């Protein structure tokens, strides 16, 4: 399982407009904020859990099979393949569970799917709580494509589980209001800095379609694209015009905002929130990591799957938990009631690639 090394995260934003930048003001600065939107139904991850998860992944290597938060106790549970590794996990303060397949073996399973079942409208990722690769198939798959997927999965035995999902996997860029470029609307995610120069991060499929970005439709330019990566990844960076310093917060769309002070990789079972310019703030639970999504115009890899609701225009928005930034919104297969399938690009990878950090 690929994880990027730690970089201190940039403070996050999602669109109310001070001066020439995007941002929601300092946390709590907006007068009379309403109740904070509820997080998802999973378990809140602590800073200790994030740090321990990263450390155990590093030290266990191929003996590890992923980790998750127990939905009843909130305890970090680490799947391992032998008793000695289990003893190491327990000595660290986490709970151990011995399983059949390592992360490397599950990645091999995904390699077979990549080679033999790379069908638009499918997605797969690792669920360490089940020690399986979970495949999602959207409603665009016809009878033949679904039969092909099931035939390939059958050769992999109980290492694979297939689930049908409503809707169709799409990148959620749309026309409307928020950040605008090339006739499209997206959402901003995180304000970042490098050598005293200010930027914001958003989705790569957004920055692919436009180099110039505005905060209102047809309005003045606020920044120019400096980097973009899609498909394979889904992140991009825009350099702000001018010298104003946009604040580092996430818009809660209730008159208030959430300060962001750190970044981490999401853990299966944890609760998260997503802030975007269409569905505003929605909550969900992390259900899989190392996710591959086969969009119609190319795959993205090493993503995170959640149950948060999202819709067109949310692309590039912030996935976060409390004051911790987790990811950049990529897309979903839609939302049924309060259950969605929002996919995010882990933000630490983008921070590392662009050499940016919090301010």
């Amino acid at each position: 399982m690929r994880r990027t090394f730690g970089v201190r995260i940039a403070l996050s934003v999602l669109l109310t407009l001070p001066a020439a930048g995007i941002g929601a003001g300092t946390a709590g600065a907006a007068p009379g904020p309403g109740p904070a939107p509820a997080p998802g139904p999973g378990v809140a991850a602590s800073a200790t859990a994030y740090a321990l998860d990263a450390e155990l992944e590093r030290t266990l290597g191929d003996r590890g099979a992923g980790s998750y938060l127990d939905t009843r106790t909130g305890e970090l549970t680490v799947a391992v393949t032998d008793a000695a590794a289990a003893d190491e996990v327990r000595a660290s303060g986490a709970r151990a569970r011995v399983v059949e397949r390592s992360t490397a073996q599950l990645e091999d399973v995904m390699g077979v799917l990549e080679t033999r079942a790379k069908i638009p409208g499918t997605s797969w990722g690792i669920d360490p709580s089940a020690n399986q690769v979970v495949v999602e198939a959207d409603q665009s798959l016809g009878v033949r494509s679904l039969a092909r997927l099931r035939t390939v999965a059958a050769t992999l035995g109980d290492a694979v589980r297939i689930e049908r999902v409503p809707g169709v996997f799409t990148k959620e860029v749309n026309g409307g209001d928020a950040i605008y470029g090339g006739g499209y609307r997206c959402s901003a995610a995180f304000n970042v800095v490098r050598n005293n120069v200010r930027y914001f991060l958003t989705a790569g499929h957004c920055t692919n379609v436009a180099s110039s970005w505005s905060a209102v439709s047809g309005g003045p330019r606020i920044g120019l694209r400096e980097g973009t990566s899609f498909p394979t990844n889904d992140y991009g960076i825009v350099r702000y015009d001018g010298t104003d310093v946009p604040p580092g917060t996430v818009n809660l769309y209730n008159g208030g905002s959430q300060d962001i002070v750190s970044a981490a990789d999401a853990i299966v079972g944890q609760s998260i929130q997503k802030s975007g310019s269409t569905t505003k703030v929605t909550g969900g639970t992390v259900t899989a990591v190392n996710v591959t999504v086969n969009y119609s115009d190319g795959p993205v890899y090493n993503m995170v799957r959640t149950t948060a609701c999202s819709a067109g225009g949310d692309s590039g928005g912030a996935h976060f938990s409390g004051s911790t930034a987790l990811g950049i919104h990529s897309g979903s297969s839609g939302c049924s009631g309060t259950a969605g399938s929002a996919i995010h690009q882990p933000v630490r990878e983008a921070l590392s690639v662009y050499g940016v950090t919090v301010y």
Side-chain angles (χ1 to χ4, degrees), residues 52 75-76 88-95:
L52 184 56
E75 189 176 15
L76 180 67
E88 288 182 39
V89 169
R90 295 185 190 104
S92 75
R95 189 174 76 180

Side-chain angles (χ1 to χ4, degrees), residues 274-294:
K274 180 232 88 248
S275 182
S277 60
T278 299
T279 58
K280 313 309 181 189
V281 178
T282 59
T285 305
V286 176
T287 58
V289 294
N290 279 29
V291 173
T292 295
V293 184
N294 292 303

Side-chain angles (χ1 to χ4, degrees), residues 46-349:
S46 66
T48 300
Y50 289 129
L52 184 56
D53 177 54
E55 175 64 17
L56 286 171
E57 182 181 35
R58 184 184 66 81
T59 58
L60 290 172
D62 289 342
R63 297 175 299 156
S67 55
Y68 58 96
L69 296 175
D70 185 279
T71 56
R72 294 176 295 105
T73 66
E75 189 176 15
L76 180 67
T77 303
V78 181
V80 295
T81 56
D82 61 64
D87 288 341
E88 288 182 39
V89 169
R90 295 185 190 104
S92 75
R95 189 174 76 180
R97 176 177 163 232
V98 179
V99 297
E100 178 183 353
R101 293 171 286 267
S102 68
T103 294
Q105 289 172 307
L106 293 173
E107 288 177 336
D108 287 342
V109 168
M110 293 196 295
V112 173
L113 293 168
E114 173 79 11
T115 301
R116 299 177 56 197
K118 192 173 181 179
I119 304 166
T122 60
S123 166
W124 49 75
I126 295 174
D127 178 0
S129 67
N131 195 223
Q132 288 180 315
V133 173
V134 181
V135 179
E136 290 190 340
D138 71 20
Q139 299 304 305
S140 70
L141 266 69
V143 173
R144 289 185 180 180
S145 292
L146 190 58
R148 174 184 163 196
L149 179 63
R150 286 175 172 160
T151 297
V152 174
T155 68
L156 299 168
D158 64 0
V160 171
R161 183 173 84 247
I162 296 177
E163 298 178 349
R164 295 304 303 270
V165 295
V168 175
F169 286 119
T170 56
K171 312 178 306 296
E172 290 177 333
V173 54
N174 218 354
D177 76 60
I179 58 169
Y180 296 82
Y184 293 93
R185 168 170 63 94
C186 287
S187 299
F190 303 101
N191 275 343
V192 293
V193 64
R194 181 180 65 216
N195 298 329
N196 294 318
V197 179
R198 312 290 165 167
Y199 308 82
F200 68 83
L201 297 175
T202 187
H205 69 262
C206 295
T207 46
N208 270 8
V209 302
S211 60
S212 177
W213 289 87
S214 302
V216 294
S217 181
R221 191 184 79 188
I222 62 167
L224 280 175
R225 177 186 66 206
E226 190 156 295
T228 189
S229 182
F230 178 86
T232 304
N233 304 298
D234 200 0
Y235 52 74
I237 189 167
V238 175
R239 177 174 176 165
Y240 279 114
D241 293 340
T243 58
D244 287 339
V245 180
T249 54
V250 168
N251 190 350
L252 295 179
Y253 286 99
N254 64 348
S257 55
Q258 171 65 57
D259 207 8
I260 301 293
V261 300
S262 63
D265 291 314
I267 303 172
V268 168
Q270 82 166 101
S271 59
I272 63 101
Q273 290 177 292
K274 180 232 88 248
S275 182
S277 60
T278 299
T279 58
K280 313 309 181 189
V281 178
T282 59
T285 305
V286 176
T287 58
V289 294
N290 279 29
V291 173
T292 295
V293 184
N294 292 303
Y295 291 130
S296 61
D297 49 358
V300 288
Y301 301 102
N302 297 298
M303 309 294 271
V304 173
R305 180 190 296 150
T306 79
T307 62
C309 281
S310 61
D314 284 332
S315 282
H319 285 224
F320 62 102
S321 178
S323 61
T324 302
L326 300 172
I328 301 167
H329 184 71
S330 176
S332 79
S333 66
C335 182
S336 177
T338 58
S341 59
I343 300 291
H344 76 238
Q345 159 75 54
V347 73
R348 291 208 303 164
E349 181 178 358

